[in-house]
Amino acid sequence: MNNKIWLSSPHMGGKEQEFVKEAFDTNWVAPLGPNVDGLEKDLEAFTGAKHAAALSSGTSAIHLALIMLGVKAGDYVLCQSFTFSASANPIAYQGATPVFIDSEKDTWNMSPEYLEKAIIELISKDQKPKAIIPVHLYGVPAKMDEIMAIVAKYDIPVIEDAAEALGSTLNGKACGTYGQLGVLSFNGNKIITTSGGGALISDNEDYITRSRFLATQARDNAPHYQHSHIGYNYRMSNITAGIGRGQMLVLNDRVAQRRFNFEFYKKAFAGYVGISFVEELPGAFANRWLTCILVDSNLTNGKTREDIRIALEKENIECRPLWKPMHLQPIFADAPFYGDGTAEKLFKDGLCLPSGSNLTEKDLNRVVEAIKLVLN
Ligand SMILES: *Cc1c(COP(=O)(O)O)cnc(C)c1O
């Protein structure tokens, strides 16, 4: 059997262990410490956000962002349907109701058209949304210019889920810095990883200061344990932050490698009309976290996404259908949805290909050949 080709596996740069060793040598084996402060500085410098809080996960960052915007039971939050469940689950943690918005075809992200439809209808029912969560899925920038123009009309704050989009920019501005708050993830399969972790970024210092406070059990300033708020244990540890500092040193290389993967696949399937990719719009720069293909079985002699997925699995190549939209998930079956079936169709026809920055050209060729064997 050929060796396994993973969808997106961790790729250390070499310096991570030095930061972790320093934490051991100085006995900062604790939550918080110099590596946490250092990673926050690195993230601020890289994204251009004025403030960053390193947290235990991207999910906890979304949860704290909702709390910062005052989202509570009975509120409505608009969320991109085509995403990972972690974008939407924190809405439920707060007892609020998610309202799901379909994708548009250019970027696969939140449709500005259905976003505005939903806002107008909810306002007419006296259910004005408290927040909006667009996502930069697979690292492809959403249409933030249009989205920000719409929310400005109705004065609704934005939490940008940039968990998959560290290194992506739109008109030179980092994904995650368009909204009031931005969310990053360093989970094991993301473009860089701390084995697990995330961050909340914002230009609003108060949001970040209060998030750090809530993320460390909301301890009031007193010699004893005194609490005036419900707290959370959401801070990143100084050990994992050390991995993060090492990873930040190679982030630009990782983006370049993932973009190389995308170009490699695109060139390989240039002659195949039934295989298509999501392109960058003018002004957009995608980190190409995962390269995804759409399979149009009308143009592949009937060969479907599933035919390809199963063939790759047999070749010991990990691949995955695109995210199943939230409005089709059993847990969110009752949530309102605005759209026309775009995300549903992407889910039906789409496949994520192996996209790790540690893949060799030999690996990429193995993937391409296995797919061509199905198509030819
Ligand atoms: C990974 C991911 C998250 C959650 O991040 P974690 O660090 O795994 O909690 C949120 N949204 C999207 C779109 C993601 O891909």
Side-chain angles (χ1 to χ4, degrees):
M1 189 67 149
N2 273 320
N3 66 307
K4 174 111 180 174
I5 295 179
W6 298 96
L7 188 72
S8 177
S9 70
H11 184 187
M12 293 299 107
K15 291 276 198 290
E16 292 82 1
Q17 281 178 310
E18 290 178 25
F19 290 105
V20 173
K21 182 173 184 304
E22 191 180 311
F24 272 75
D25 290 346
T26 54
N27 206 27
W28 275 104
V29 185
L32 306 185
N35 281 334
V36 174
D37 298 342
L39 179 60
E40 289 177 347
K41 290 267 173 307
D42 291 347
L43 291 170
E44 289 161 5
F46 188 87
T47 62
K50 289 208 177 83
H51 305 280
L55 300 168
S56 55
S57 67
T59 310
S60 62
I62 298 176
H63 189 195
L64 289 171
L66 291 166
I67 295 170
M68 287 308 112
L69 298 178
V71 172
K72 53 187 187 322
D75 286 340
Y76 292 81
V77 175
L78 305 188
C79 181
Q80 184 164 322
S81 183
F82 192 44
T83 186
F84 178 47
S85 65
S87 304
N89 281 336
I91 302 169
Y93 302 168
Q94 287 304 97
T97 301
V99 176
F100 292 112
I101 308 295
D102 210 342
S103 295
E104 40 78 17
K105 293 182 182 69
D106 300 334
T107 72
W108 302 359
N109 290 312
M110 186 178 269
S111 154
E113 180 194 345
Y114 287 106
L115 169 66
E116 186 154 29
K117 258 192 189 144
I119 293 173
I120 290 170
E121 195 168 311
L122 286 170
I123 288 177
S124 78
K125 291 194 282 187
D126 211 15
Q127 297 173 344
K128 182 175 168 178
K130 264 301 209 11
I132 292 169
I133 308 179
V135 187
H136 306 287
L137 217 59
Y138 305 114
V140 176
K143 290 185 173 170
M144 289 314 296
D145 291 337
E146 288 180 47
I147 290 170
M148 295 311 289
I150 292 167
V151 299
K153 271 201 266 180
Y154 303 95
D155 194 22
I156 304 169
V158 167
I159 299 167
E160 243 180 301
D161 183 344
E164 302 178 0
L166 183 58
S168 301
T169 60
L170 183 63
N171 300 322
K173 191 170 157 60
C175 288
T177 64
Y178 276 82
Q180 274 67 18
L181 294 136
V183 169
L184 305 172
S185 169
F186 313 114
N187 202 352
N189 63 0
K190 296 282 156 64
I191 191 151
I192 59 167
T193 182
T194 59
S195 79
L200 187 61
I201 59 176
S202 179
D203 282 346
N204 182 322
E205 184 170 16
D206 179 54
Y207 284 157
I208 299 302
T209 307
R210 278 199 292 138
S211 291
R212 290 195 186 114
F213 168 74
L214 293 182
T216 43
Q217 308 287 19
R219 276 188 68 187
D220 292 343
N221 195 5
H224 55 277
Y225 281 83
Q226 170 87 13
H227 302 276
S228 316
H229 299 270
I230 293 292
Y232 303 87
N233 187 0
Y234 277 174
R235 261 311 223 168
M236 184 181 278
S237 98
N238 197 52
I239 299 298
T240 53
I243 304 174
R245 288 180 84 183
Q247 288 272 276
M248 286 303 289
L249 297 174
V250 293
L251 174 52
N252 283 324
D253 301 338
R254 300 299 182 256
V255 172
Q257 187 61 44
R258 296 217 182 213
R259 286 176 64 86
F260 173 86
N261 294 341
F262 175 84
E263 293 301 334
F264 188 97
Y265 285 128
K266 212 182 126 184
K267 204 182 287 167
F269 295 107
Y272 292 74
V273 287
I275 304 292
S276 64
F277 299 80
V278 62
E279 298 295 343
E280 287 166 328
L281 294 184
F285 178 88
N287 69 4
R288 295 296 183 186
W289 171 55
L290 296 185
T291 293
C292 309
I293 55 171
L294 293 180
V295 183
D296 182 347
S297 58
N298 295 317
L299 302 169
T300 56
N301 286 321
K303 295 292 191 261
T304 62
R305 187 277 309 279
E306 273 307 274
D307 294 328
I308 294 174
R309 189 186 66 77
I310 291 162
L312 290 180
E313 214 156 69
K314 281 203 187 110
E315 288 299 316
N316 210 19
I317 297 169
E318 188 184 28
C319 59
R320 215 181 279 155
L322 304 192
W323 298 120
K324 180 172 180 178
M326 289 304 111
H327 72 280
L328 302 177
Q329 298 287 355
I331 188 65
F332 293 125
D334 296 334
F337 168 69
Y338 289 83
D340 58 15
T342 299
E344 187 166 357
K345 180 141 179 38
L346 292 169
F347 170 60
K348 182 180 144 281
D349 294 338
L351 188 68
C352 303
L353 301 181
S355 301
S357 49
N358 45 10
L359 295 176
T360 62
E361 281 197 42
K362 190 160 161 265
D363 293 330
L364 293 169
N365 268 319
R366 231 179 90 198
V367 178
V368 167
E369 291 314 314
I371 296 173
K372 285 187 174 172
L373 214 55
V374 178
L375 296 174
N376 292 339

